Amino acid sequence: MSDTKYDKYEVIVGLEVHAQLSTQSKMYCGDSAAFGASPNTQVSPLSLGHPGTLPVVNESAIEYAVRIGLATHSQIRYENQFARKNYFYADLPKGYQITQDKTPICTHGYIAFEVNGEKKKVQLTRIHLEEDAGKSIHDIDPYFTLVDLNRAGTPLIEIVSEPDIRSGDEAMAYLHEVRKLVRYLDICDGNMEEGSMRCDANISVRLKGTTAYNPRSEVKNMNSMRNVKRAIEFEFIRQVDALEAGEKLVQETRGFDAIKGITLSQRSKEHAHDYRYFPEPDLPPVYVTDEYVAQVKAAMPKLSAELKEEYMNRYGLPEYDARLLSDDKFTSSYYNSLLAATGNAKAAANWMLGPVKNYLNEQGLEIQHFPLTPDKIAELIKMIDEGKTNFSVASTKIFPEVAASGKMPMTVAEEMNLLQSSDEGLIQQLIADVIAKYPEKVAEYKAGKKGLLGLFVGEVMKASKGKADPKLTNKLMMEKLEA
Ligand code: MN
């Protein structure tokens, strides 16, 4: 392959992720932080920033920040101050955002993950707490922008990475890991499309082998992982083209147009905001003690890596299965419930990664919306283990009917006349019939063509209309032929 001008360059990316914390109330007051209420119903003089009101820090938000700090191997700050970041915008009623400027609650952490089979570690510059702004709605009224202040003051963490990311794929894998973490930690629902996780990407390029940074573009407010990847790939080409054409890059803020797949300049550094940060005079510092951190640590939910180990070591699953079952919180939580209902961990994994996964794919559902409760899958497993049915009948006939009707598997199997027979007398009779029907084949078998066993067993199964226990049939058939 011939070298192109692009091969000489690498892309340098740092990501800033804003994640909305799933606390009941807002960051600095008691207004509800629930999503989806009628516009401007979850506001009070406090979230509207009326003069004379005083903010108070939400303790749950501190706890959630400590959880993500611990999960990302961060140092947790003891003395936390808050600061005002001043700017004017219609959806920012106070005229400033209360954030953490010089004292982010978490520093020096990292996030490790795999991308295309390779291990990757991205260092975190900081994680800090802040509040969200309200929402400007541009597409309802043709003449006016509407403002909904329900979101004003809801708590956010901002996770800022070092410029350690080197491709769109790495960015996607990193975001996947962040979403996995916040979901496992139960601190954010992680739904990017609904705006509860938003991403800004700082993107620059440089000649491979050099270490200086060129001016970067900051692509703001992307709400899907794929768009982050697309923006990075677009910026790489655009910036390399500019440099190769002898143009000078400038530091600027850009927006991503998801329909055209391009980024557009919004403002350059000369027009950047001066936020005039200063310490928030109305909030005393919040002290996070070692005892408090220890307490949060003791109550931390199990994370993906820990569950994966457990599935392998305690339940004997292969690494591949353990990884798939622990990759997402909702999958592992279903599997854990299933483990509590059945002693057969391997069969439970096979059901999850086979019939259940296929069903979800066909229906376009996520596991959290899977209609079968774990006790139904556990009953299917039990029926197979007890010889009442086999995996093939259970997964292709009983399971779909259980999914459609909501009935218990035993009831469905009885109603559909699908319970298999462990009646030795009946099976022996069918075996005798088959042997009588194929005398030449039996002779071939006895002469060494052992592969014919499958044919004989298949004939018995057919004659029984699929109800003969295949394991038992296999055993009895072999005994008969070897006799
Ligand atoms: Mn921010």
Side-chain angles (χ1 to χ4, degrees):
M1 209 171 78
S2 65
D3 280 358
T4 69
K5 60 185 175 184
Y6 303 109
D7 294 335
K8 297 185 289 182
Y9 289 87
E10 62 178 349
V11 70
I12 312 290
V13 180
L15 295 180
E16 296 171 16
V17 174
H18 283 93
Q20 202 162 43
L21 297 177
S22 45
T23 53
Q24 305 251 301
S25 56
K26 293 187 178 178
M27 184 65 216
Y28 305 110
C29 73
D31 293 349
S32 169
F35 180 78
S38 297
N40 299 308
T41 55
Q42 295 177 162
V43 291
S44 67
L46 278 133
S47 40
L48 296 176
H50 286 191
T53 56
L54 288 173
V56 178
V57 169
N58 182 333
E59 195 187 334
S60 296
I62 301 281
E63 183 189 335
Y64 289 7
V66 171
R67 278 193 212 161
I68 185 86
L70 289 169
T72 54
H73 323 274
S74 299
Q75 289 172 19
I76 313 284
R77 186 178 306 275
Y78 171 63
E79 181 172 332
N80 285 269
Q81 283 160 0
F82 291 84
R84 287 189 186 179
K85 178 180 179 179
N86 300 279
Y87 65 96
F88 179 79
Y89 204 75
D91 59 21
L92 188 75
K94 293 201 292 273
Y96 57 86
Q97 176 195 35
I98 306 178
T99 178
Q100 290 191 292
D101 177 27
K102 301 236 161 30
T103 62
I105 185 162
C106 311
T107 51
H108 298 98
Y110 67 85
I111 291 181
F113 53 96
E114 269 188 27
V115 54
N116 302 328
E118 300 211 1
K119 288 195 196 316
K120 173 84 189 177
K121 199 187 230 186
V122 171
Q123 300 292 331
L124 300 181
T125 316
R126 57 190 284 159
I127 301 173
H128 65 257
L129 281 160
E130 60 187 29
E131 60 182 329
D132 210 343
K135 209 174 189 170
S136 299
I137 302 155
H138 306 287
D139 56 2
I140 292 184
D141 189 292
Y143 304 107
F144 296 99
T145 290
L146 307 181
V147 176
D148 176 8
L149 294 174
N150 283 353
R151 203 179 66 182
T154 54
L156 300 173
I157 44 167
E158 180 174 338
I159 306 168
V160 182
S161 89
E162 290 288 299
D164 288 351
I165 293 163
R166 291 289 174 275
S167 70
D169 284 338
E170 283 186 11
M172 283 214 0
Y174 170 85
L175 290 170
H176 181 83
E177 193 65 29
V178 170
R179 185 173 68 181
K180 188 158 104 180
L181 275 176
V182 297
R183 283 183 171 168
Y184 263 109
L185 293 166
D186 232 347
I187 63 172
C188 166
D189 66 28
N191 296 332
M192 279 193 91
E193 289 70 16
E194 289 168 17
S196 36
M197 244 176 75
R198 307 188 288 273
C199 181
D200 303 340
N202 294 304
I203 309 165
S204 63
V205 300
R206 70 181 170 204
L207 282 170
K208 284 178 184 164
T210 62
T211 51
Y213 293 110
N214 282 313
R216 63 174 191 264
S217 60
E218 194 176 338
V219 185
K220 290 295 225 183
N221 259 323
M222 287 172 283
N223 65 353
S224 91
M225 297 190 194
R226 208 171 73 85
N227 285 347
V228 173
K229 173 181 151 95
R230 290 166 73 205
I232 290 167
E233 289 169 355
F234 176 84
E235 275 298 295
F236 175 68
I237 302 286
R238 185 188 69 82
Q239 292 183 26
V240 171
D241 286 348
L243 288 176
E244 288 282 307
E247 288 166 33
K248 219 166 148 28
L249 291 168
V250 291
Q251 189 175 324
E252 61 182 345
T253 301
R254 298 179 75 90
F256 182 67
D257 180 330
I259 293 165
K260 296 198 182 111
I262 61 171
T263 67
L264 292 163
S265 184
Q266 291 175 335
R267 59 171 187 266
S268 65
K269 203 184 175 190
E270 295 89 86
H271 300 103
H273 291 300
D274 173 6
Y275 293 118
R276 293 171 293 119
Y277 282 97
F278 63 85
E280 167 58 61
D282 290 338
L283 277 176
V286 171
Y287 295 96
V288 180
T289 61
D290 289 347
E291 292 75 42
Y292 181 76
V293 172
Q295 201 184 307
V296 173
K297 192 173 190 169
M300 286 268 276
K302 278 183 195 166
L303 299 181
S304 169
E306 196 182 339
L307 283 168
K308 186 179 154 199
E309 289 297 308
E310 194 176 300
Y311 294 161
M312 289 166 68
N313 299 334
R314 187 164 159 208
Y315 296 106
L317 295 191
E319 203 232 336
Y320 181 79
D321 293 14
R323 185 211 312 234
L324 289 178
L325 290 169
S326 63
D327 189 48
D328 137 88
K329 182 198 165 186
F330 299 111
T331 305
S332 67
S333 120
Y334 193 96
Y335 184 62
N336 291 342
S337 307
L338 187 50
L339 283 177
T342 174
N344 194 337
K346 182 64 192 145
N350 291 343
W351 272 92
M352 294 282 301
L353 301 175
V356 173
K357 197 172 170 209
N358 295 341
Y359 176 86
L360 295 173
N361 287 344
E362 280 162 19
Q363 305 285 323
L365 288 176
E366 305 269 356
I367 181 83
Q368 55 271 43
H369 305 118
F370 181 52
L372 273 70
T373 45
D375 60 319
K376 294 201 171 86
I377 304 294
E379 186 166 287
L380 284 164
I381 293 170
K382 185 163 172 250
M383 286 165 67
I384 297 169
D385 288 347
E386 289 177 351
K388 294 197 174 84
T389 184
N390 57 66
F391 182 76
S392 160
V393 170
S395 60
T396 61
K397 297 210 166 85
I398 304 175
F399 172 78
E401 186 53 30
V402 171
S405 69
K407 292 177 184 166
M408 286 304 284
M410 252 329 252
T411 313
V412 166
E414 276 161 8
E415 285 176 3
M416 294 175 77
N417 197 20
L418 287 170
L419 286 177
Q420 79 188 4
S421 176
S422 305
D423 177 349
E424 277 206 40
L426 172 73
I427 295 172
Q428 292 288 16
Q429 180 55 53
L430 296 172
I431 287 174
D433 293 349
V434 169
I435 284 176
K437 193 173 159 193
Y438 294 105
E440 295 108 65
K441 298 276 179 207
V442 171
E444 282 176 42
Y445 178 91
K446 290 193 167 161
K449 214 170 162 189
K450 302 291 179 197
L452 284 167
L453 181 66
L455 168 83
F456 301 134
V457 171
E459 285 294 313
V460 173
M461 296 300 297
K462 214 192 283 169
S464 76
K465 301 198 172 64
K467 287 167 69 183
D469 177 348
K471 246 195 236 155
L472 181 63
T473 305
N474 220 44
K475 175 175 159 274
L476 296 175
M477 179 63 88
M478 244 158 72
E479 283 170 9
K480 189 86 181 170
L481 291 166
E482 303 293 339

